[in-house]
Amino acid sequence: MCDWDHVAEVGHGLGWQRKSTDDSGFGAVTFGTDGTTGSDGAIEHPTKTHDGQTGGTDGIHGYFDRRTESSKNQARIALGVVDQLTNAKR
C-alpha cells in the first residue's frame, strides 16, 4: 500500500494558497480504504494503489473497484448515509 500520494503533493506545492487534504484545517472527512469486514460479514478489500480501477488483478484493488472498502464508503456518501462510513475521521 502507498503511504503517500506523491502526485497530489506536487499539486499542493504548485499552489501557494492550497491546503493539504491531510491538514485538519482543510475540513475533509476521511474514510477507510485499508479493507475491513462489512456488517454483513462480507470482506471489503483494501485499496493498494492510487489507480481508480484495476479489476482486482493480482489482488491489487483501486479506489473504485467493486467490493473494496473505498467503493463501499463512496456508495454510502452517495446515498447520504455518512454515519455508516467505516474508519471515518472528522
Side-chain angles (χ1 to χ4, degrees):
M1 174 148 79
C2 299
D3 290 332
W4 191 253
D5 187 343
H6 299 286
V7 174
E9 190 59 27
V10 170
H12 295 267
L14 293 176
W16 63 272
Q17 293 181 331
R18 294 182 184 181
K19 287 186 178 182
S20 173
T21 54
D22 285 343
D23 182 355
S24 61
F26 184 77
V29 174
T30 62
F31 54 81
T33 62
D34 293 334
T36 190
T37 302
S39 58
D40 61 354
I43 298 297
E44 296 179 4
H45 297 291
T47 300
K48 295 186 177 180
T49 180
H50 289 288
D51 291 340
Q53 287 184 303
T54 66
T57 304
D58 297 325
I60 306 294
H61 295 85
Y63 289 110
F64 308 116
D65 279 325
R66 294 178 65 206
R67 294 187 290 276
T68 61
E69 184 180 11
S70 174
S71 67
K72 297 275 187 159
N73 277 326
Q74 292 172 64
R76 292 173 182 118
I77 291 168
L79 293 170
V81 289
V82 295
D83 59 314
Q84 296 178 22
L85 292 173
T86 58
N87 301 306
K89 295 178 188 167
R90 296 179 184 352

